[in-house]
């Protein structure tokens, strides 16, 4: 879709006020600071625009970055090592590929200033690189970077953020930014607002949101409800206002009239000894409508069985949440962005329970 940047949406006279609001939410100053962006693709360009909108100096590096592209975005092209050494804030957006995996690693972590803030939009390649170096959690990654991590959830634009100072709940995508309005509706009909602690579909309203898809009016109509952008993301908001992702609405399993959220089950599976990662999908079932099927990847040398995994889940989850089948595979299918292709797994197992 066509995204209108925050830089073009916020009038010059309002930027200082907006920056102040963001600084209050983040717990750290923005104006006059240097934002270093590695990888100026779609998402990196949007983060750069946000930085420019709030009075930050934006420097950038990527392998094929041209001066023309820098002028277009209003950023300064610098050497990668210089960016890492001098930036107050650093954000990295590189598409995972054999060519780019080695661009950011332990050497680059070591170049960062000790007081720098690493801005992680979604779960980008940088987290995977840190885990390859032996780190396995946000808490440990903080020690590697010697700085705080913001975990920002991005669905077309930046909307939620964990404060850099103050309370920061690891695993949460944070709280809505001050210029973003949030509503959480039931996942079935989308008409009832959900209370704290209950899972629902999150919808946004705000100046930085897109106004529509370019030349695609039907898609635009589907994306909005009464002026609110429908994200397709299922979340719950806790008593403190922090937002926790539960997965995508399209991945939700409706079994026997009850909603089951794969991310919850995957969380339990991934905590089991010997399991590297997992994916849970819903597949058709003649009696229940849908049931869950788990696909798991073992850690090197681990011996796993379908029966063993399901037995452990039965001791931790309600019976209707237990996957009916569990398959052990060497790896999960991924697209070029590194995301698991659940649609391929659904197609693979869609006739398991065919009558």
């Amino acid at each position: 879709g066509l995204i209108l940047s925050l830089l073009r949406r916020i009038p010059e006279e309002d930027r200082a006020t907006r920056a102040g609001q963001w600084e209050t939410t983040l717990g750290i100053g923005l104006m006059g600071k240097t934002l270093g962006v590695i990888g100026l693709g779609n998402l990196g360009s949007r983060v750069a625009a946000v930085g420019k909108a709030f009075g930050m100096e934006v420097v950038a590096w990527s392998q094929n970055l041209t001066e023309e592209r820098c002028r277009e975005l209003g950023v300064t092209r610098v050497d990668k090592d210089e960016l890492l050494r001098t930036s107050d804030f650093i954000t990295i957006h590189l598409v995972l590929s054999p060519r780019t995996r080695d661009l950011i690693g332990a050497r680059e972590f070591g170049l960062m200033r000790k007081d720098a803030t690493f801005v992680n939009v979604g779960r980008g390649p940088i987290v995977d690189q840190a885990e390859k170096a032996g780190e396995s959690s946000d808490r440990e990654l903080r020690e590697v970077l010697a700085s705080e991590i913001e975990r920002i959830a991005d669905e077309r634009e930046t909307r939620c953020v964990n404060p850099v100072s103050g309370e920061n709940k690891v695993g949460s995508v944070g709280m809505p930014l001050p210029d973003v309005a949030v509503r959480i509706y039931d996942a079935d009909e989308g008409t009832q607002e959900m209370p704290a602690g209950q899972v629902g579909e999150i919808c946004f309203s705000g100046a930085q949101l897109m106004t529509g898809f370019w030349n695609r009016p039907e898609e635009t109509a589907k994306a909005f409800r009464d002026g609110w952008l429908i994200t397709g993301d299922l979340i719950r908001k806790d008593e403190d206002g922090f937002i926790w992702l539960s997965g995508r609405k399209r991945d939700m399993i409706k079994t026997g009239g009850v909603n089951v959220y794969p991310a919850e089950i995957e969380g339990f599976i991934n905590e089991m000894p010997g399991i590297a990662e997992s994916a849970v999908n819903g597949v058709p079932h003649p009696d229940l409508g849908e049931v869950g099927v788990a696909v798991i990847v073992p850690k090197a040398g681990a011996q796993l069985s379908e029966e063993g995994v399901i037995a452990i889940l039965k001791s931790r989850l309600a019976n209707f949440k237990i996957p009916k089948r569990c398959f052990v595979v060497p790896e999960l299918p991924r697209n070029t962005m590194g995301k698991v292709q659940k649609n391929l797994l659904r197609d693979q197992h869609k006739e398991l329970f065919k009558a």
Side-chain angles (χ1 to χ4, degrees):
L2 177 64
I3 308 301
L4 300 179
S5 75
L6 207 56
L7 178 61
R8 295 198 293 270
R9 291 289 192 87
I10 299 178
E12 187 75 38
E13 61 271 18
D14 292 342
R15 291 180 187 176
T17 300
R18 290 291 185 88
Q21 293 172 337
W22 276 47
E23 288 174 0
T24 299
T25 301
L26 292 171
I28 194 168
L30 298 176
M31 295 193 73
K33 302 290 187 180
T34 300
L35 170 66
V37 182
I38 294 180
L40 268 184
N42 185 23
L43 186 53
S45 298
R46 282 182 272 154
V47 175
V50 171
K52 291 284 292 182
F54 292 138
M56 303 180 79
E57 178 188 355
V58 181
V59 297
W61 175 88
S62 64
Q63 284 184 306
N64 301 310
L65 182 59
T66 65
E67 290 296 338
E68 181 182 0
R69 179 63 170 159
C70 288
R71 286 194 297 270
E72 178 184 324
L73 295 172
V75 304
T76 303
R77 187 180 188 275
V78 296
D79 176 80
K80 180 178 66 172
D81 288 1
E82 179 185 349
L83 182 152
L84 291 166
R85 290 192 185 101
T86 61
S87 297
D88 300 296
F89 296 81
I90 297 171
T91 183
I92 300 174
H93 306 283
L94 296 174
V95 176
L96 279 176
S97 71
R99 192 170 57 126
T100 61
R101 284 182 187 276
D102 296 328
L103 291 177
I104 302 295
R107 172 188 172 277
E108 283 70 24
F109 291 153
L111 292 176
M112 290 177 62
R113 284 169 31 189
K114 298 302 181 184
D115 61 346
T117 298
F118 174 64
V119 182
N120 183 37
V121 181
R123 180 183 174 84
I126 190 69
V127 178
D128 297 322
Q129 288 295 94
E131 290 181 350
K132 281 176 62 178
E135 306 302 327
S136 59
S137 70
D138 286 346
R139 194 173 306 278
E140 292 168 335
L141 184 57
R142 293 178 198 272
E143 298 171 1
V144 172
L145 299 178
S147 61
E148 294 291 330
I149 295 174
E150 292 171 32
R151 182 171 293 285
I152 298 175
D154 174 81
E155 172 65 29
R156 300 189 179 97
E157 289 84 28
T158 301
R159 299 167 188 166
C160 301
V161 63
N162 257 310
V164 174
S165 60
E167 185 176 19
N168 189 317
K169 299 187 178 183
V170 174
S172 165
V173 299
M175 306 177 74
L177 288 162
D179 50 0
V180 175
V182 169
R183 289 181 181 174
I184 303 166
Y185 289 100
D186 68 281
D188 293 316
E189 302 296 331
T191 56
Q192 179 183 351
E193 287 198 53
M194 305 300 289
Q198 297 294 312
V199 175
E201 182 178 18
I202 190 168
C203 300
F204 291 104
S205 176
Q208 78 270 45
L209 302 184
M210 73 168 190
T211 56
F213 294 98
W214 181 252
N215 287 334
R216 293 161 63 189
E218 292 183 1
E219 292 296 321
T220 298
K222 293 177 183 178
F224 288 89
R225 183 190 301 127
D226 299 327
W228 289 80
L229 180 63
I230 305 167
T231 66
D233 288 325
L234 296 177
I235 65 98
R236 63 177 176 84
K237 182 168 67 174
D238 66 21
E239 294 76 8
D240 298 320
F242 282 77
I243 290 174
W244 302 79
L245 286 172
S246 295
R248 294 286 290 167
K249 184 176 178 178
R250 64 170 178 259
D251 295 331
M252 183 178 71
I253 304 168
K254 196 157 189 176
T255 181
V258 181
N259 294 340
V260 175
Y261 306 104
E264 177 189 5
I265 304 168
E266 290 164 357
F268 281 99
I269 294 175
N270 294 342
E271 290 176 354
M272 295 181 189
I275 292 181
E277 61 179 345
S278 65
V280 175
N281 296 287
V283 299
H285 190 277
D287 300 321
L288 299 173
E290 285 184 308
V291 293
V293 172
V295 180
I296 61 175
V297 177
K299 292 181 178 179
Q303 299 295 320
L304 302 174
S305 69
E306 176 178 14
E307 296 77 11
V309 171
I310 290 178
I312 295 175
L313 288 177
K314 285 183 176 179
S315 68
R316 300 180 181 180
L317 293 170
N319 190 58
F320 69 90
K321 297 181 180 181
I322 307 298
K324 299 299 181 185
R325 291 294 310 273
C326 179
F327 296 92
V328 180
V329 299
E331 63 181 5
L332 298 176
R334 298 181 184 275
N335 62 19
T336 55
M337 295 296 293
K339 294 183 178 181
V340 175
Q341 294 179 295
K342 286 196 168 186
N343 59 313
L344 298 183
L345 295 174
R346 278 192 290 268
D347 288 343
Q348 183 179 349
H349 300 127
K350 64 183 180 182
E351 296 188 356
L352 268 177
F353 303 98
K354 187 174 181 180

